[in-house]
Coordinates of all heavy atoms in Angstrom, one line a residue:
L1 N 5.3 5.6 -8.2 CA 6.2 6.5 -7.4 C 7.4 7.0 -8.2 O 7.9 8.0 -7.9 CB 6.7 5.6 -6.2 CG 5.7 5.2 -5.2 CD1 6.3 4.3 -4.1 CD2 5.0 6.4 -4.5
F2 N 7.8 6.2 -9.2 CA 9.0 6.6 -9.9 C 8.7 7.4 -11.1 O 9.5 8.1 -11.7 CB 9.8 5.3 -10.2 CG 10.2 4.6 -9.0 CD1 9.6 3.4 -8.7 CD2 11.1 5.1 -8.1 CE1 10.0 2.7 -7.6 CE2 11.5 4.4 -7.0 CZ 10.9 3.2 -6.7
N3 N 7.5 7.3 -11.7 CA 7.1 8.0 -12.9 C 6.8 9.5 -12.6 O 7.1 10.3 -13.4 CB 5.9 7.4 -13.6 CG 6.3 6.1 -14.2 OD1 7.4 5.8 -14.4 ND2 5.2 5.2 -14.4
R4 N 6.2 9.7 -11.5 CA 5.7 11.1 -11.1 C 6.4 11.5 -9.8 O 5.8 11.7 -8.8 CB 4.2 11.1 -10.9 CG 3.4 10.7 -12.1 CD 3.5 11.6 -13.3 NE 3.2 13.0 -13.0 CZ 2.1 13.6 -13.4 NH1 1.3 13.0 -14.2 NH2 1.9 14.8 -13.0
K5 N 7.7 11.7 -9.9 CA 8.5 12.0 -8.6 C 8.2 13.3 -8.0 O 8.6 13.5 -6.8 CB 10.0 11.8 -8.9 CG 10.5 12.8 -10.0 CD 11.9 12.5 -10.3 CE 12.4 13.3 -11.4 NZ 13.6 12.9 -12.0
N6 N 7.5 14.2 -8.7 CA 7.2 15.5 -8.0 C 5.9 15.5 -7.3 O 5.6 16.5 -6.6 CB 7.3 16.6 -9.1 CG 8.7 16.9 -9.5 OD1 9.6 16.8 -8.8 ND2 8.8 17.3 -10.8
K7 N 5.1 14.5 -7.5 CA 3.8 14.4 -6.8 C 4.1 13.7 -5.4 O 5.0 13.0 -5.2 CB 2.8 13.5 -7.6 CG 2.4 14.2 -8.9 CD 1.4 13.4 -9.6 CE 0.1 13.9 -9.0 NZ -1.1 13.5 -9.8
T8 N 3.1 14.0 -4.5 CA 3.3 13.3 -3.2 C 3.0 11.8 -3.3 O 2.3 11.4 -4.2 CB 2.3 13.9 -2.1 OG1 1.0 13.7 -2.6 CG2 2.6 15.4 -2.0
I9 N 3.5 11.1 -2.3 CA 3.3 9.6 -2.3 C 1.8 9.3 -2.3 O 1.3 8.4 -3.0 CB 4.0 9.0 -1.1 CG1 5.5 9.3 -1.1 CG2 3.7 7.5 -1.0 CD1 6.3 8.5 -2.1
R10 N 1.1 10.0 -1.5 CA -0.4 9.8 -1.4 C -1.1 10.0 -2.7 O -1.9 9.2 -3.1 CB -1.0 10.7 -0.3 CG -2.5 10.5 -0.1 CD -3.1 11.5 0.8 NE -4.5 11.3 0.9 CZ -5.4 11.6 0.0 NH1 -5.0 12.1 -1.2 NH2 -6.7 11.4 0.2
S11 N -0.8 11.1 -3.4 CA -1.5 11.4 -4.6 C -1.2 10.4 -5.7 O -2.0 10.1 -6.6 CB -1.2 12.8 -5.1 OG 0.2 12.9 -5.5
V12 N 0.0 9.8 -5.7 CA 0.4 8.8 -6.7 C -0.4 7.5 -6.4 O -0.9 6.8 -7.3 CB 1.9 8.6 -6.7 CG1 2.3 7.4 -7.6 CG2 2.6 9.8 -7.2
L13 N -0.4 7.1 -5.1 CA -1.1 5.9 -4.7 C -2.6 5.9 -4.8 O -3.2 4.8 -4.9 CB -0.6 5.4 -3.4 CG 0.9 5.0 -3.3 CD1 1.3 4.8 -1.8 CD2 1.2 3.8 -4.1
M14 N -3.2 7.1 -4.7 CA -4.6 7.1 -4.7 C -5.3 7.3 -6.1 O -6.5 7.6 -6.1 CB -5.1 8.3 -3.8 CG -4.7 8.1 -2.3 SD -5.3 6.6 -1.6 CE -6.8 7.1 -1.0
T15 N -4.5 7.1 -7.1 CA -5.1 7.2 -8.5 C -6.0 5.9 -8.7 O -5.8 4.9 -8.1 CB -4.0 7.3 -9.6 OG1 -3.2 6.1 -9.5 CG2 -3.2 8.5 -9.4
K16 N -7.0 6.0 -9.6 CA -7.9 4.9 -9.8 C -7.2 3.7 -10.3 O -7.5 2.6 -9.9 CB -9.0 5.4 -10.8 CG -9.9 6.4 -10.2 CD -11.0 6.7 -11.3 CE -11.9 7.8 -10.7 NZ -12.9 8.2 -11.7
S17 N -6.2 3.9 -11.2 CA -5.5 2.7 -11.7 C -4.7 2.0 -10.7 O -4.7 0.7 -10.6 CB -4.6 3.1 -12.9 OG -3.7 4.0 -12.5
V18 N -4.1 2.7 -9.8 CA -3.3 2.0 -8.7 C -4.2 1.4 -7.7 O -4.0 0.2 -7.3 CB -2.4 3.1 -8.0 CG1 -1.7 2.5 -6.8 CG2 -1.3 3.6 -9.0
L19 N -5.3 2.0 -7.4 CA -6.3 1.4 -6.4 C -6.8 0.2 -7.0 O -7.0 -0.8 -6.3 CB -7.4 2.4 -6.1 CG -7.0 3.6 -5.2 CD1 -8.1 4.6 -5.1 CD2 -6.5 3.2 -3.9
R20 N -7.2 0.2 -8.3 CA -7.7 -1.0 -8.9 C -6.7 -2.2 -8.9 O -7.0 -3.3 -8.6 CB -8.1 -0.7 -10.4 CG -8.9 -1.8 -11.1 CD -9.4 -1.4 -12.4 NE -9.5 0.0 -12.7 CZ -8.7 0.7 -13.6 NH1 -7.8 0.1 -14.2 NH2 -9.0 2.0 -13.7
L21 N -5.4 -1.8 -9.2 CA -4.4 -2.8 -9.2 C -4.2 -3.4 -7.9 O -4.1 -4.7 -7.7 CB -3.1 -2.2 -9.7 CG -1.8 -3.1 -9.7 CD1 -1.9 -4.2 -10.8 CD2 -0.6 -2.3 -9.8
L22 N -4.1 -2.6 -6.8 CA -3.9 -3.1 -5.5 C -5.1 -3.9 -5.0 O -4.9 -4.9 -4.3 CB -3.7 -1.9 -4.5 CG -2.4 -1.1 -4.7 CD1 -2.3 0.1 -3.8 CD2 -1.2 -2.1 -4.6
E23 N -6.3 -3.5 -5.4 CA -7.5 -4.3 -5.0 C -7.4 -5.7 -5.7 O -7.8 -6.7 -5.1 CB -8.8 -3.6 -5.4 CG -10.0 -4.2 -4.9 CD -10.1 -4.2 -3.3 OE1 -9.8 -3.2 -2.7 OE2 -10.5 -5.3 -2.8
E24 N -7.0 -5.8 -6.9 CA -6.9 -7.0 -7.6 C -5.8 -7.9 -7.0 O -6.0 -9.1 -6.8 CB -6.6 -6.8 -9.1 CG -7.7 -6.3 -9.9 CD -7.3 -5.9 -11.3 OE1 -6.1 -6.1 -11.7 OE2 -8.1 -5.3 -12.0
N25 N -4.7 -7.3 -6.6 CA -3.6 -8.0 -6.0 C -4.1 -8.6 -4.6 O -3.8 -9.7 -4.2 CB -2.4 -7.1 -5.8 CG -1.7 -6.9 -7.1 OD1 -2.0 -7.5 -8.1 ND2 -0.8 -5.9 -7.0
R26 N -4.9 -7.7 -3.9 CA -5.4 -8.1 -2.6 C -6.3 -9.3 -2.7 O -6.2 -10.3 -2.0 CB -6.1 -7.0 -1.9 CG -6.6 -7.2 -0.6 CD -7.3 -6.0 0.0 NE -7.9 -6.2 1.2 CZ -8.9 -5.6 1.7 NH1 -9.5 -4.6 1.0 NH2 -9.4 -5.8 2.9
N27 N -7.2 -9.3 -3.7 CA -8.1 -10.4 -3.9 C -7.4 -11.7 -4.4 O -7.7 -12.8 -4.0 CB -9.2 -10.0 -5.0 CG -10.1 -9.0 -4.5 OD1 -10.3 -8.9 -3.3 ND2 -10.7 -8.2 -5.4
T28 N -6.3 -11.5 -5.2 CA -5.5 -12.7 -5.6 C -4.8 -13.3 -4.4 O -4.8 -14.5 -4.3 CB -4.5 -12.2 -6.7 OG1 -5.2 -11.7 -7.8 CG2 -3.6 -13.4 -7.1
I29 N -4.2 -12.5 -3.6 CA -3.5 -13.0 -2.4 C -4.5 -13.7 -1.5 O -4.2 -14.8 -1.0 CB -2.8 -11.9 -1.6 CG1 -1.7 -11.3 -2.5 CG2 -2.3 -12.3 -0.3 CD1 -0.5 -12.2 -2.7
K30 N -5.7 -13.2 -1.3 CA -6.7 -13.8 -0.4 C -7.1 -15.2 -1.0 O -7.2 -16.1 -0.3 CB -8.0 -12.9 -0.3 CG -7.8 -11.8 0.6 CD -9.1 -11.0 0.7 CE -9.1 -9.9 1.6 NZ -10.3 -9.2 1.7
S31 N -7.3 -15.2 -2.3 CA -7.7 -16.5 -2.9 C -6.6 -17.5 -2.9 O -6.9 -18.7 -2.7 CB -8.2 -16.3 -4.3 OG -7.2 -15.9 -5.2
L32 N -5.3 -17.1 -3.0 CA -4.2 -18.0 -2.9 C -4.0 -18.5 -1.5 O -3.6 -19.7 -1.4 CB -2.9 -17.3 -3.4 CG -2.8 -17.1 -4.9 CD1 -1.6 -16.3 -5.2 CD2 -2.9 -18.4 -5.7
N33 N -4.2 -17.7 -0.5 CA -4.1 -18.1 0.8 C -5.2 -19.1 1.3 O -4.9 -19.9 2.1 CB -4.0 -16.9 1.8 CG -2.7 -16.2 1.7 OD1 -1.7 -16.7 1.3 ND2 -2.7 -14.9 2.2
G34 N -6.4 -18.9 0.7 CA -7.5 -19.7 1.1 C -7.7 -19.8 2.6 O -8.0 -18.8 3.2
N35 N -7.5 -21.0 3.1 CA -7.5 -21.2 4.6 C -6.1 -21.2 5.1 O -5.7 -22.2 5.7 CB -8.3 -22.5 4.9 CG -9.7 -22.4 4.6 OD1 -10.3 -21.3 4.5 ND2 -10.3 -23.5 4.2
G36 N -5.4 -20.1 5.0 CA -4.0 -20.0 5.4 C -3.8 -20.0 6.9 O -4.7 -20.4 7.6
D37 N -2.7 -19.6 7.3 CA -2.4 -19.7 8.7 C -3.2 -18.6 9.5 O -3.8 -17.8 8.9 CB -0.9 -19.4 9.0 CG -0.4 -18.1 8.5 OD1 -1.2 -17.4 7.8 OD2 0.8 -17.8 8.7
A38 N -3.2 -18.8 10.8 CA -4.0 -17.9 11.6 C -3.7 -16.4 11.6 O -4.6 -15.6 11.6 CB -3.9 -18.4 13.1
M39 N -2.4 -16.1 11.4 CA -2.0 -14.7 11.4 C -2.5 -14.0 10.1 O -3.1 -12.9 10.2 CB -0.5 -14.6 11.5 CG 0.0 -13.2 11.6 SD 1.7 -13.2 12.0 CE 2.0 -11.5 12.1
S40 N -2.4 -14.7 9.0 CA -2.9 -14.0 7.8 C -4.4 -13.9 7.8 O -5.0 -13.0 7.3 CB -2.5 -14.8 6.5 OG -3.1 -16.1 6.5
K41 N -5.1 -14.9 8.5 CA -6.5 -14.9 8.6 C -7.0 -13.7 9.5 O -8.0 -13.0 9.2 CB -7.0 -16.2 9.2 CG -8.3 -16.7 8.5 CD -8.6 -18.0 9.0 CE -10.0 -18.3 8.4 NZ -10.6 -19.5 8.9
E42 N -6.2 -13.4 10.5 CA -6.5 -12.3 11.4 C -6.4 -11.0 10.6 O -7.3 -10.1 10.7 CB -5.6 -12.2 12.6 CG -5.9 -13.2 13.7 CD -4.9 -13.0 14.8 OE1 -4.1 -12.1 14.9 OE2 -4.9 -13.9 15.7
N43 N -5.3 -10.8 9.8 CA -5.2 -9.6 9.0 C -6.3 -9.5 8.0 O -6.8 -8.4 7.8 CB -3.8 -9.7 8.2 CG -2.6 -9.4 9.2 OD1 -2.8 -8.9 10.3 ND2 -1.5 -9.8 8.7
E44 N -6.7 -10.6 7.4 CA -7.8 -10.5 6.4 C -9.1 -10.1 7.1 O -9.8 -9.3 6.5 CB -8.0 -11.9 5.7 CG -6.9 -12.2 4.7 CD -7.1 -13.6 4.1 OE1 -8.2 -14.1 4.3 OE2 -6.2 -14.1 3.5
D45 N -9.4 -10.7 8.2 CA -10.6 -10.3 8.9 C -10.6 -8.9 9.3 O -11.6 -8.2 9.2 CB -10.8 -11.2 10.2 CG -11.1 -12.7 9.8 OD1 -11.5 -12.9 8.6 OD2 -10.9 -13.5 10.7
A46 N -9.5 -8.4 9.8 CA -9.4 -7.0 10.2 C -9.5 -6.1 9.0 O -10.1 -5.0 9.1 CB -8.1 -6.7 10.9
D47 N -9.0 -6.4 7.9 CA -9.0 -5.6 6.7 C -10.2 -5.8 5.8 O -10.4 -5.0 4.9 CB -7.7 -5.8 5.9 CG -6.5 -5.3 6.6 OD1 -6.6 -4.4 7.5 OD2 -5.4 -5.8 6.3
D48 N -11.0 -6.8 6.0 CA -12.2 -7.0 5.2 C -13.2 -5.8 5.3 O -13.9 -5.6 4.3 CB -12.9 -8.3 5.6 CG -12.3 -9.5 4.9 OD1 -11.5 -9.3 3.9 OD2 -12.5 -10.6 5.4
N49 N -13.2 -5.2 6.4 CA -14.2 -4.1 6.6 C -13.6 -2.8 5.9 O -14.4 -1.8 5.8 CB -14.4 -3.8 8.0 CG -15.1 -5.0 8.7 OD1 -15.9 -5.7 8.0 ND2 -14.9 -5.3 9.9
N50 N -12.4 -2.7 5.6 CA -11.7 -1.5 5.0 C -11.5 -1.7 3.6 O -11.1 -2.8 3.1 CB -10.4 -1.3 5.7 CG -10.5 -1.0 7.2 OD1 -11.5 -0.5 7.6 ND2 -9.4 -1.3 7.9
N51 N -11.8 -0.7 2.8 CA -11.4 -0.8 1.4 C -10.0 -0.4 1.2 O -9.3 0.0 2.2 CB -12.3 0.1 0.5 CG -12.1 1.6 0.7 OD1 -11.2 2.0 1.3 ND2 -13.1 2.3 0.2
I52 N -9.4 -0.6 0.1 CA -8.0 -0.4 -0.1 C -7.6 1.0 0.1 O -6.5 1.2 0.6 CB -7.6 -1.0 -1.5 CG1 -6.1 -1.3 -1.6 CG2 -8.0 0.0 -2.6 CD1 -5.7 -2.5 -0.9
G53 N -8.4 2.0 -0.2 CA -8.1 3.4 0.0 C -7.9 3.7 1.5 O -7.0 4.4 1.9
Q54 N -8.8 3.1 2.3 CA -8.7 3.3 3.8 C -7.4 2.7 4.3 O -6.7 3.3 5.2 CB -9.9 2.8 4.5 CG -11.1 3.5 4.2 CD -12.4 2.8 4.8 OE1 -12.4 1.6 5.0 NE2 -13.4 3.6 5.0
I55 N -7.0 1.5 3.8 CA -5.8 0.9 4.3 C -4.6 1.7 3.9 O -3.7 1.9 4.7 CB -5.7 -0.6 3.7 CG1 -6.9 -1.4 4.2 CG2 -4.4 -1.2 4.1 CD1 -7.1 -2.7 3.6
L56 N -4.6 2.2 2.6 CA -3.5 3.0 2.2 C -3.4 4.3 3.1 O -2.3 4.7 3.5 CB -3.7 3.5 0.7 CG -3.3 2.5 -0.3 CD1 -3.7 3.0 -1.7 CD2 -1.9 2.2 -0.3
E57 N -4.5 4.9 3.3 CA -4.5 6.1 4.2 C -3.9 5.8 5.6 O -3.1 6.6 6.1 CB -5.9 6.7 4.4 CG -6.4 7.4 3.2 CD -5.8 8.7 2.9 OE1 -5.2 9.3 3.8 OE2 -6.0 9.2 1.8
K58 N -4.3 4.7 6.1 CA -3.8 4.3 7.5 C -2.3 4.1 7.5 O -1.6 4.6 8.3 CB -4.5 3.1 7.9 CG -4.2 2.7 9.4 CD -5.1 1.6 9.8 CE -4.5 0.2 9.5 NZ -5.2 -0.9 10.1
V59 N -1.8 3.3 6.5 CA -0.4 3.1 6.4 C 0.4 4.3 6.2 O 1.4 4.6 6.8 CB -0.1 2.0 5.2 CG1 1.4 1.9 5.0 CG2 -0.7 0.7 5.6
L60 N 0.0 5.2 5.3 CA 0.7 6.4 5.0 C 0.7 7.4 6.2 O 1.7 8.0 6.4 CB 0.1 7.1 3.7 CG 0.4 6.4 2.4 CD1 -0.4 7.1 1.3 CD2 1.8 6.4 2.1
S61 N -0.4 7.4 6.9 CA -0.4 8.3 8.1 C 0.4 7.8 9.2 O 1.1 8.5 9.9 CB -1.9 8.5 8.5 OG -2.4 7.3 9.0
T62 N 0.5 6.5 9.4 CA 1.3 5.9 10.5 C 2.8 6.0 10.2 O 3.6 6.2 11.1 CB 0.9 4.5 10.8 OG1 1.0 3.7 9.7 CG2 -0.5 4.3 11.4
T63 N 3.1 5.9 8.9 CA 4.5 6.0 8.6 C 5.0 7.4 8.3 O 6.1 7.7 8.2 CB 4.9 5.1 7.3 OG1 4.0 5.6 6.3 CG2 4.7 3.7 7.6
K64 N 4.0 8.3 8.2 CA 4.2 9.8 8.0 C 4.9 10.0 6.6 O 5.7 11.0 6.5 CB 5.1 10.4 9.1 CG 4.3 10.3 10.4 CD 5.1 11.0 11.5 CE 4.3 10.9 12.8 NZ 4.8 10.3 13.9
Y65 N 4.5 9.2 5.6 CA 5.1 9.5 4.3 C 4.0 10.0 3.4 O 4.2 10.2 2.2 CB 5.6 8.2 3.7 CG 6.9 7.7 4.3 CD1 7.0 6.5 4.9 CD2 8.0 8.5 4.2 CE1 8.2 6.1 5.5 CE2 9.2 8.1 4.7 CZ 9.3 6.9 5.4 OH 10.5 6.5 5.9
S66 N 2.8 10.3 3.9 CA 1.7 10.8 3.1 C 2.0 12.1 2.3 O 1.7 12.2 1.1 CB 0.5 11.0 4.0 OG -0.5 11.6 3.3
D67 N 2.7 13.0 2.9 CA 3.0 14.3 2.3 C 4.4 14.4 1.7 O 4.8 15.5 1.3 CB 2.7 15.4 3.3 CG 1.3 15.5 3.8 OD1 0.4 15.2 3.0 OD2 1.1 15.9 4.9
K68 N 5.1 13.3 1.8 CA 6.5 13.4 1.2 C 6.5 13.1 -0.3 O 5.6 12.5 -0.8 CB 7.4 12.4 1.9 CG 7.4 12.6 3.4 CD 8.8 12.5 3.9 CE 8.7 12.8 5.4 NZ 9.9 12.8 6.1
R69 N 7.5 13.6 -0.9 CA 7.6 13.4 -2.4 C 8.7 12.3 -2.6 O 9.6 12.2 -1.9 CB 8.0 14.7 -3.1 CG 7.0 15.7 -2.8 CD 7.2 17.0 -3.6 NE 6.3 18.0 -3.2 CZ 5.1 18.1 -3.8 NH1 4.7 17.3 -4.7 NH2 4.3 19.1 -3.4
A70 N 8.4 11.5 -3.7 CA 9.3 10.4 -4.0 C 10.7 10.8 -4.2 O 11.7 10.1 -3.8 CB 8.8 9.6 -5.2
R71 N 10.9 12.0 -4.7 CA 12.3 12.4 -5.0 C 13.1 12.7 -3.7 O 14.3 12.7 -3.8 CB 12.3 13.7 -5.9 CG 11.7 14.9 -5.2 CD 11.9 16.1 -6.0 NE 11.4 17.2 -5.1 CZ 10.6 18.2 -5.6 NH1 10.2 18.2 -6.8 NH2 10.2 19.1 -4.7
N72 N 12.4 12.9 -2.6 CA 13.1 13.2 -1.4 C 13.3 12.0 -0.5 O 13.9 12.1 0.6 CB 12.3 14.2 -0.6 CG 12.2 15.5 -1.3 OD1 13.0 15.9 -2.0 ND2 11.1 16.3 -1.0
L73 N 12.8 10.8 -0.9 CA 13.0 9.6 -0.2 C 14.3 8.8 -0.6 O 14.6 8.8 -1.8 CB 11.8 8.7 -0.3 CG 10.4 9.2 0.1 CD1 9.4 8.2 -0.2 CD2 10.4 9.7 1.5
D74 N 14.9 8.2 0.3 CA 16.1 7.4 0.0 C 15.6 5.9 0.0 O 14.5 5.6 0.3 CB 17.3 7.6 0.9 CG 17.0 7.4 2.3 OD1 15.9 6.9 2.7 OD2 17.9 7.6 3.1
L75 N 16.5 5.0 -0.2 CA 16.2 3.6 -0.3 C 15.6 3.1 1.0 O 14.7 2.3 1.0 CB 17.5 2.8 -0.7 CG 17.3 1.3 -0.9 CD1 16.3 1.0 -2.0 CD2 18.6 0.6 -1.2
D76 N 16.2 3.5 2.1 CA 15.7 3.0 3.4 C 14.2 3.5 3.6 O 13.4 2.7 4.2 CB 16.5 3.6 4.6 CG 17.9 3.0 4.6 OD1 18.1 1.8 4.1 OD2 18.9 3.7 5.0
D77 N 13.9 4.7 3.2 CA 12.5 5.1 3.3 C 11.6 4.2 2.5 O 10.5 3.9 3.0 CB 12.4 6.6 2.9 CG 13.1 7.5 3.8 OD1 13.2 7.3 5.0 OD2 13.6 8.6 3.3
F78 N 12.0 3.9 1.3 CA 11.1 3.0 0.5 C 11.0 1.6 1.1 O 9.9 1.1 1.0 CB 11.7 2.9 -1.0 CG 11.4 4.1 -1.8 CD1 12.5 4.9 -2.2 CD2 10.1 4.4 -2.3 CE1 12.2 6.0 -3.1 CE2 9.9 5.4 -3.1 CZ 10.9 6.3 -3.5
L79 N 12.0 1.1 1.7 CA 11.9 -0.2 2.3 C 11.0 -0.2 3.5 O 10.3 -1.1 3.8 CB 13.3 -0.7 2.7 CG 14.2 -1.0 1.5 CD1 15.6 -1.4 2.0 CD2 13.6 -2.2 0.7
V80 N 11.1 0.9 4.3 CA 10.2 1.1 5.5 C 8.7 1.1 5.0 O 7.8 0.5 5.5 CB 10.5 2.3 6.3 CG1 9.4 2.7 7.3 CG2 11.8 2.1 7.0
L81 N 8.5 1.9 3.9 CA 7.1 2.0 3.4 C 6.7 0.7 2.8 O 5.5 0.3 3.1 CB 7.1 3.1 2.3 CG 5.8 3.6 1.8 CD1 5.0 4.2 2.9 CD2 6.0 4.7 0.7
L82 N 7.5 0.0 2.1 CA 7.1 -1.3 1.5 C 6.8 -2.3 2.6 O 5.9 -3.1 2.6 CB 8.3 -1.9 0.6 CG 8.0 -3.2 -0.1 CD1 6.9 -3.0 -1.1 CD2 9.3 -3.6 -0.8
S83 N 7.6 -2.3 3.7 CA 7.4 -3.2 4.8 C 6.1 -2.9 5.5 O 5.3 -3.8 5.9 CB 8.5 -3.1 5.8 OG 8.3 -3.8 7.0
A84 N 5.7 -1.7 5.7 CA 4.5 -1.3 6.3 C 3.3 -1.7 5.4 O 2.3 -2.2 5.9 CB 4.4 0.2 6.5
F85 N 3.4 -1.6 4.1 CA 2.4 -2.1 3.2 C 2.2 -3.6 3.3 O 1.1 -4.1 3.3 CB 2.7 -1.7 1.7 CG 2.4 -0.2 1.4 CD1 3.3 0.6 0.8 CD2 1.2 0.3 1.8 CE1 3.0 1.9 0.5 CE2 0.9 1.7 1.5 CZ 1.8 2.4 0.9
H86 N 3.3 -4.3 3.4 CA 3.2 -5.8 3.5 C 2.5 -6.2 4.8 O 1.7 -7.1 4.8 CB 4.6 -6.4 3.3 CG 5.0 -6.6 1.9 ND1 4.6 -7.6 1.1 CD2 5.7 -5.8 1.1 CE1 5.0 -7.5 -0.1 NE2 5.8 -6.4 -0.1
E87 N 2.9 -5.5 5.9 CA 2.2 -5.8 7.1 C 0.7 -5.5 7.1 O 0.0 -6.2 7.8 CB 2.9 -5.0 8.3 CG 4.3 -5.4 8.6 CD 4.9 -4.5 9.6 OE1 4.3 -3.7 10.2 OE2 6.2 -4.7 9.8
A88 N 0.3 -4.6 6.3 CA -1.1 -4.2 6.2 C -1.8 -5.1 5.2 O -3.0 -5.0 5.0 CB -1.3 -2.7 5.8
G89 N -1.1 -6.0 4.5 CA -1.7 -6.9 3.5 C -1.8 -6.3 2.1 O -2.5 -6.8 1.3
I90 N -1.0 -5.3 1.8 CA -1.0 -4.7 0.5 C 0.3 -5.2 -0.2 O 1.4 -5.0 0.3 CB -1.0 -3.1 0.6 CG1 -2.3 -2.7 1.2 CG2 -0.9 -2.6 -0.8 CD1 -2.4 -1.2 1.4
H91 N 0.1 -5.8 -1.3 CA 1.2 -6.4 -2.1 C 1.2 -5.8 -3.5 O 0.2 -5.6 -4.1 CB 1.2 -7.9 -2.1 CG 1.1 -8.5 -0.8 ND1 2.2 -8.7 0.0 CD2 0.0 -8.9 -0.1 CE1 1.8 -9.3 1.1 NE2 0.5 -9.4 1.1
F92 N 2.4 -5.4 -4.0 CA 2.6 -4.8 -5.3 C 3.1 -5.9 -6.3 O 3.9 -6.7 -5.9 CB 3.6 -3.7 -5.2 CG 3.1 -2.5 -4.4 CD1 3.4 -2.5 -3.0 CD2 2.4 -1.5 -4.9 CE1 3.0 -1.4 -2.2 CE2 2.0 -0.4 -4.1 CZ 2.3 -0.4 -2.8
S93 N 2.6 -5.7 -7.5 CA 3.1 -6.6 -8.6 C 2.8 -5.8 -9.9 O 2.2 -4.8 -9.9 CB 2.4 -7.9 -8.6 OG 1.0 -7.7 -9.0
V94 N 3.3 -6.3 -11.0 CA 3.1 -5.6 -12.3 C 2.2 -6.4 -13.2 O 2.0 -7.5 -13.1 CB 4.5 -5.4 -13.0 CG1 4.8 -4.0 -13.1 CG2 5.6 -6.2 -12.4

């Protein structure tokens, strides 16, 4: 989001490298949770049928940030987006 500020949020997140990273993070979180609490298990069961691209599309469309550019977002917008990703089970790391 910060390297390519003139591209839309959707186009930055839908690159192969970002999708691969998010999928690896998702698998790591699932394996760490193992038999975690009931709420995380519900989210996993609901998201198991969706690939990471479909989950990203859903989050971006519900938050209406799909067509926005990173340079036009302020800190509150980024926090709303990050919160929506965490609720959907998408976690970022480096």
Side-chain angles (χ1 to χ4, degrees):
L1 294 176
F2 301 109
N3 292 337
R4 303 293 305 251
K5 60 185 173 191
N6 289 327
K7 294 185 89 166
T8 62
I9 301 287
R10 182 190 177 282
S11 65
V12 171
L13 291 174
M14 295 304 270
T15 60
K16 290 180 183 179
S17 60
V18 172
L19 290 175
R20 189 175 338 109
L21 175 73
L22 293 176
E23 189 65 42
E24 289 172 6
N25 289 348
R26 183 178 177 211
N27 291 335
T28 302
I29 295 293
K30 282 183 180 181
S31 66
L32 288 175
N33 285 342
N35 293 331
D37 61 355
M39 187 170 180
S40 67
K41 223 173 170 186
E42 282 179 14
N43 287 341
E44 287 178 16
D45 292 341
D47 291 337
D48 277 344
N49 297 330
N50 297 332
N51 68 15
I52 200 76
Q54 291 172 336
I55 297 169
L56 279 174
E57 287 285 343
K58 186 172 92 173
V59 169
L60 289 173
S61 66
T62 57
T63 57
K64 297 185 174 119
Y65 287 118
S66 174
D67 296 327
K68 302 225 177 183
R69 299 186 187 277
R71 67 174 185 223
N72 296 333
L73 300 180
D74 61 3
L75 183 61
D76 292 333
D77 294 328
F78 281 113
L79 292 175
V80 167
L81 194 57
L82 184 63
S83 175
F85 283 131
H86 279 277
E87 288 175 9
I90 296 176
H91 303 279
F92 295 90
S93 70
V94 246

